[in-house]
Amino acid sequence: MSSIPSFTGDASPYGGGDPYADYRTADFPFTQYADLADRRLGAGVIAANDEFFAERENLLKPEAAEFDPEHFGHKGKIMDGWETRRRRGISAQQPHPTEDDHDWALVRLGAPGVVRGIVVDTAHFRGNYPQAVSVEAASVAGSPSPEELLADDVKWTTLVPRTAVGGHAANGFAVDVEQRFTHLRVNQHPDGGIARLRVHGEVAPDPAWLGVLGTFDLAALENGGQVEDASDRFYSPATNTIQPGRSRKMDDGWETRRRRDKGNDWIRYGLVAESEIRAVEIDTAYLKGNSAGWAALSVAAEGSDDWTEILPRTRLQPDTNHRFVLDTPAVGSRVRIDIYPDGGISRLRLFGSLTDAGTARLTARHQELGG
């Protein structure tokens, strides 16, 4: 973790103006991966030992934490994060918490996966952030209750050892544990507040579940699809196009800046595994004066840039879901959508099933990750 910037110590007291003016952050290399703790994927903070000042659910709110210096309630200052009360010792002779005292929260990942990096964001917690944090992970099948997760027979693996953090800062940690996890336990030592938690990684779906489904969305983030690259991310991330559900507003899709050349924009996807694509949806919901004018789709084998067109350049309408049935099923592991000349789409759905080779590879990977 030596290459990851770190922050320790208090931030200056809020002095007015933009509360983010002195916020400490960095570009972390693992943020290219999807957030496995995204509420849109079904993530949740299912339990915490204490949330006296601010609710645990705030940890996974998608937007940046807000700060209102005048916002107080019956229990004190209301913060946009998870904040516990101050810990105390056991007596007047021992007024301080012990070295082992800490608060914790249990997080259900929205999609099981391999964690590549974690951000523990203490935005606006300037003098009331934890002295240190640690993060553990477990893999538990089904929908376990908090009590089941806290049982003695559950194995927890350390992803982030106890590490000092800074106040009003994005504290990033690279993770190098090649296992599939379903839940996290976030610990703050001994107490304090955390504004946001981001868990970046790769979705690792259950091949047995996908096999029972048969036909499913091969590019969907929740099923193991991912964005490999995109020509432009100016207004919104390309990963939005494979999020669950329909887009609900313009910035919930992918929109590029206006082109002033004769080129075009594109997104390149990795499918869950080698698949047979039979039907396509290209949705431009809420993109009305800025939707792509035309789109084309191509497919390639894993590791190959030999692209075969499966949907020729086709006119798109604004704020419309377009459906296409392919004349011949297309087989591949990678897909590229080209839009002309610029603009955006809200969602791309690729319906089909895994090939025998894709199923075998996904099953082997699942076993390698401890599934």
Side-chain angles (χ1 to χ4, degrees), residues 85 100 137 190 255:
R85 73 193 80 197
D100 294 331
E255 181 189 359

Side-chain angles (χ1 to χ4, degrees), residues 1-169:
M1 291 189 288
S2 59
S3 62
I4 301 294
S6 62
F7 309 99
T8 55
D10 293 345
S12 300
Y14 175 65
D18 179 7
Y20 275 105
D22 60 341
Y23 176 65
R24 296 174 288 178
T25 187
D27 291 327
F28 301 116
F30 49 75
T31 55
Q32 63 179 299
Y33 296 104
D35 182 5
L36 302 179
D38 193 324
R39 285 286 296 168
R40 290 175 293 181
L41 288 175
V45 187
I46 61 175
N49 72 304
D50 187 290
E51 47 187 328
F52 184 87
F53 286 116
E55 296 84 358
R56 65 183 190 263
E57 288 87 356
N58 290 332
L59 280 174
L60 304 188
K61 288 166 70 172
E63 62 275 356
E66 297 181 352
F67 180 72
D68 180 353
E70 304 300 326
H71 196 192
F72 287 83
H74 295 293
K75 294 181 179 180
K77 181 73 183 74
I78 296 176
M79 297 292 290
D80 185 10
W82 167 49
E83 185 180 7
T84 66
R85 73 193 80 197
R86 300 188 188 215
R87 280 185 170 268
R88 297 292 186 244
I90 59 174
S91 67
Q93 290 70 38
Q94 300 179 49
H96 303 290
T98 70
E99 187 68 16
D100 294 331
D101 284 343
H102 67 277
D103 293 319
W104 53 264
L106 294 177
V107 177
R108 179 189 63 243
L109 297 180
V114 181
V115 179
R116 300 301 184 193
I118 295 173
V119 177
V120 177
D121 190 346
T122 58
H124 314 305
F125 289 92
R126 296 169 178 269
N128 52 347
Y129 59 94
Q131 182 183 32
V133 300
S134 60
V135 182
E136 303 160 280
S139 182
V140 182
S143 304
S145 67
E147 293 74 20
E148 291 170 322
L149 288 170
L150 295 172
D152 292 339
D153 61 345
V154 173
K155 177 186 175 183
W156 290 91
T157 300
T158 299
L159 301 187
V160 178
R162 182 169 176 167
T163 307
V165 295
H168 196 43

